[in-house]
Amino acid sequence: MIMLIAVSCVTKKIAVKESPEVISIIPIPSEVIYDRAVNNYFRLTNNTNIYVDKDNDELRRIGQYIAGKINTPTGFDLSVFDSGNLSEDGNIYLRIVEDETLGTEGYKLTVTQKNIIIEAAKTNGIFYGVQTLRQLLPDEIESNTIKNIEWRVRTVSIKDYPRYEWRGAMLDVARHFFPVEDVKHYIDMLALYKINRLHLHLTDDQGWRIEIKSWPNLTAHGASTAVDGDPGGFFTQDDYKEIIDYAFERYITVIPEIDMPGHTNAALASYPELNCDGIAPELFTGIKVGFSSLCVEKEITYEFINDVIGELAQITKGPYIHIGGDEAKSTKEEDYIKFINRVEEIVKSNGKKIIGWDEIVNADISNLSIAQFWATKSNAVKASQKKVQIIMSPSTRIYLDMKYNPSTPIGLFWAGYIDIKKSYDWDPSTEIDGVTDENILGVEAPLWTETVKTMNDIEYMAFPRLIGAAEIGWSKQHLRQWENYSQRLNLHKNRLKILDINFYQDNDIK
Ligand code: ACM
């Protein structure tokens, strides 16, 4: 009798804990069909292996990536094999299939009591299916020490593909510098939420952070400090390539930004000839904006830009170079237009497309260029009239450097306080009258670092708002309801703790 009660209690407890509503996947997938029997699981054991299509090196690499993630906390020894004709039970299968409905990034994930199968038309989709599998496994899958728990996954069938092709995050490494290891850590977190673009703000008034071999003083002098006189730093070209490769392996394209003609004091301080008066200013460690400008009339300015873009284009895998173009308050309007027109040509001649902050739509840019909306709605409307694609980064919604509320110890508040709900609860296609999904390439969450000095600070400002931005970029609008999201986020926080992320908590995420 006692035995029976005990058994029924346990069963009940499991049923409640594992009922479909409480499984938290972020971003929420397009279609999730749970097995009606709530107690059916696939059990991961030391006999589980990963089988991939024969002769597909990339599938094998993704297989090894997930085997590594699983082996650490389970203590198992999953290996990757060619599947051939085998279809033994108890394994994880990664397969390329012909299914146009999945697009480049979509996937199907099927968990039965016998197997886990991830299928996609492209390896991008397999990678995203693997990220969803991480979230279906117990939170402890993110532990970096062995946990003795039952490693099981509820039986479920998922079909998932993204709303937008551009799901980005930006990190400002200019106001404060962050070394390669920090950027890689950020990339790992982006990958978990299916973010596929990392925009690096590499240059600003306070520091030049990328080695340019033909203009060495940019880093020798221009990288030597940061906001508040904090230590500077820069990426060598080899460091930068290491970041790009690390991101690329996680299906993330790196977009380098060289901000110009404003936000250029570090360059102007490093080379007097770039200044109209030929005099180099002092290095700058404050946080005001809008005071610096490259000398638009001088020919050497364009030689400089061509050298910088040329070196950067050589080592950048993605098709884009971001040219900034924001807050050029010390450049006359007609000069600004001539300047942006010319820089667009320079970038094109180096084989890349330009992206710029929304102000660039005031120049005669081609509709192959991309505008990043951050502040001025009329610029976004102008972009859509010119058929220029728009990346949505409204500062009032997803600027991750804005304080959550007046008591947030770091951050700025010029675009307002942005709590978790405000950062999540908006639709890119209705944010600006006259700008719809037809014109929207996607969403990007920038993190400016005037007040952000450490990885702990980055995590505090980015998490959990970045996770919400990832869902805005990936999930269909009709699937996104604040109440439901906040429940999923609350369930998700244990995973963030295990990942050792210093995330912000308030009444929305306790
Ligand atoms: C910006 O925040 N100045 C793009």
Side-chain angles (χ1 to χ4, degrees):
M1 184 63 192
I2 289 168
M3 272 280 290
L4 269 179
I5 291 169
V7 168
S8 77
C9 279
V10 168
T11 314
K12 200 162 166 212
K13 195 164 155 236
I14 290 171
V16 171
K17 185 165 176 276
E18 301 294 340
S19 71
E21 306 76 67
V22 301
I23 291 182
S24 168
I25 306 172
I26 304 176
I28 192 165
S30 312
E31 297 168 29
V32 182
I33 301 168
Y34 291 100
D35 190 340
R36 294 243 294 281
V38 291
N39 285 322
N40 283 351
Y41 297 94
F42 173 87
R43 286 184 166 74
L44 202 69
T45 71
N46 204 19
N47 296 322
T48 303
N49 281 306
I50 299 175
Y51 286 87
V52 301
D53 296 346
K54 201 162 174 295
D55 299 329
N56 189 326
D57 291 347
E58 181 55 11
L59 275 188
R60 180 168 275 274
R61 193 190 63 75
I62 297 173
Q64 265 141 7
Y65 163 92
I66 189 64
K69 294 243 175 272
I70 292 173
N71 289 343
T72 306
T74 58
F76 299 158
D77 186 22
L78 274 66
S79 302
V80 182
F81 298 102
D82 282 347
S83 53
N85 297 324
L86 263 175
S87 68
E88 281 176 27
D89 290 348
N91 295 311
I92 300 172
Y93 288 84
L94 309 182
R95 287 181 191 149
I96 296 296
V97 291
E98 277 182 33
D99 183 347
E100 280 171 19
T101 66
L102 295 173
T104 304
E105 300 190 302
Y107 65 91
K108 285 195 289 198
L109 193 164
T110 313
V111 181
T112 65
Q113 285 172 288
K114 292 181 172 172
N115 288 312
I116 294 177
I117 301 171
I118 301 176
E119 295 170 315
K122 304 275 180 211
T123 51
N124 309 54
I126 299 288
F127 186 78
Y128 297 133
V130 158
Q131 301 311 323
T132 300
L133 175 59
R134 280 170 75 181
Q135 295 196 25
L136 290 173
L137 280 157
D139 297 343
E140 289 79 4
I141 200 69
E142 304 301 346
S143 168
N144 53 23
T145 55
I146 293 183
K147 300 284 171 195
N148 283 314
I149 62 165
E150 194 184 6
W151 298 99
R152 61 186 194 181
V153 184
R154 246 204 86 195
T155 51
V156 66
S157 170
I158 295 175
K159 182 174 180 184
D160 195 16
Y161 46 90
R163 175 177 181 182
Y164 294 117
E165 72 176 72
W166 190 287
R167 305 177 303 279
M170 187 211 83
L171 183 63
D172 171 10
V173 295
R175 270 51 175 273
H176 280 98
F177 180 67
F178 296 90
V180 174
E181 287 314 309
D182 285 351
V183 179
K184 284 185 175 175
H185 172 62
Y186 207 50
I187 288 170
D188 280 331
M189 292 305 293
L190 303 183
L192 177 54
Y193 301 102
K194 307 184 176 80
I195 290 174
N196 64 357
R197 303 282 188 264
L198 174 64
H199 165 182
L200 289 175
H201 184 75
L202 290 170
T203 67
D204 213 303
D205 290 319
Q206 298 87 346
W208 186 283
R209 309 295 181 202
I210 178 75
E211 175 190 25
I212 301 295
K213 293 182 200 268
S214 53
W215 294 75
N217 214 34
L218 289 171
T219 46
H221 183 62
S224 58
T225 185
V227 167
D228 290 345
D230 287 333
F234 66 94
F235 300 128
T236 64
Q237 293 195 1
D238 283 342
D239 290 340
Y240 176 77
K241 284 190 248 178
E242 190 179 328
I243 291 170
I244 289 201
D245 288 345
Y246 193 82
F248 189 78
E249 287 175 1
R250 286 156 185 76
Y251 290 86
I252 294 172
T253 303
V254 172
I255 295 96
E257 179 184 353
I258 304 294
D259 202 350
M260 54 193 152
H263 291 278
T264 42
N265 189 75
L268 297 168
S270 304
Y271 286 97
E273 60 270 42
L274 294 177
N275 295 270
C276 285
D277 63 5
I279 300 169
E282 293 293 307
L283 290 170
F284 179 68
T285 58
I287 65 168
K288 73 172 182 222
V289 297
F291 63 91
S292 57
S293 179
L294 289 173
C295 186
V296 172
E297 303 94 83
K298 276 188 170 176
E299 213 36 46
I300 191 167
T301 298
Y302 302 96
E303 289 164 22
F304 164 74
I305 294 169
N306 190 49
D307 289 343
V308 170
I309 301 298
E311 288 193 32
L312 204 50
Q314 283 289 321
I315 53 173
T316 295
K317 282 189 175 161
Y320 320 99
I321 303 273
H322 200 303
I323 60 160
D326 57 320
E327 298 176 308
K329 294 178 186 154
S330 302
T331 318
K332 284 196 233 111
E333 183 155 359
E334 67 268 30
D335 285 349
Y336 177 82
I337 292 170
K338 276 191 252 164
F339 177 86
I340 297 292
N341 290 350
R342 225 170 137 181
V343 173
E344 185 185 45
E345 287 308 313
I346 292 173
V347 172
K348 267 199 236 166
S349 72
N350 283 287
K352 301 287 184 189
K353 290 200 250 189
I354 67 163
I355 303 177
W357 297 105
D358 61 52
E359 291 95 322
I360 67 159
V361 300
N362 296 304
D364 308 312
I365 56 170
S366 114
N367 63 8
L368 297 176
S369 299
I370 296 167
Q372 184 166 13
F373 167 69
W374 66 283
T376 308
K377 289 187 174 179
S378 57
N379 284 340
V381 172
K382 205 180 277 183
S384 43
Q385 286 160 354
K386 289 187 170 188
K387 305 255 178 283
V388 166
Q389 293 279 93
I390 301 165
I391 298 165
M392 292 292 286
S393 299
S395 47
T396 54
R397 296 286 194 178
I398 50 171
Y399 261 33
L400 301 175
D401 58 313
M402 292 299 118
K403 288 175 183 281
Y404 293 92
N405 60 51
S407 53
T408 308
I410 52 173
L412 303 175
F413 56 94
W414 58 262
Y417 299 109
I418 307 180
D419 62 15
I420 301 170
K421 182 169 193 285
K422 188 170 185 202
S423 68
Y424 177 80
D425 206 5
W426 62 285
D427 176 357
S429 70
T430 58
E431 186 71 5
I432 305 173
D433 284 343
V435 176
T436 63
D437 270 0
E438 203 184 315
N439 311 107
I440 296 174
L441 190 59
V443 179
E444 185 175 299
L447 178 51
W448 302 98
T449 57
E450 287 94 332
T451 66
V452 170
K453 301 188 181 202
T454 63
M455 195 66 222
N456 244 17
D457 293 348
I458 290 181
E459 290 177 356
Y460 189 75
M461 299 310 274
F463 294 94
R465 291 181 293 192
L466 180 64
I467 302 176
E471 180 154 303
I472 295 169
W474 180 278
S475 305
K476 317 274 172 306
Q477 188 62 29
H478 73 274
L479 296 172
R480 296 205 299 111
Q481 277 104 32
W482 165 251
E483 283 303 320
N484 170 280
Y485 175 70
S486 68
Q487 282 172 16
R488 279 182 290 123
L489 191 56
N490 263 301
L491 289 166
H492 194 77
K493 70 184 183 223
N494 189 45
R495 199 169 281 266
L496 292 177
K497 282 186 188 146
I498 294 170
L499 283 159
D500 200 22
I501 297 293
N502 177 38
F503 65 97
Y504 162 82
Q505 306 188 47
D506 67 6
N507 291 332
D508 293 327
I509 172 168
K510 295 174 208 83

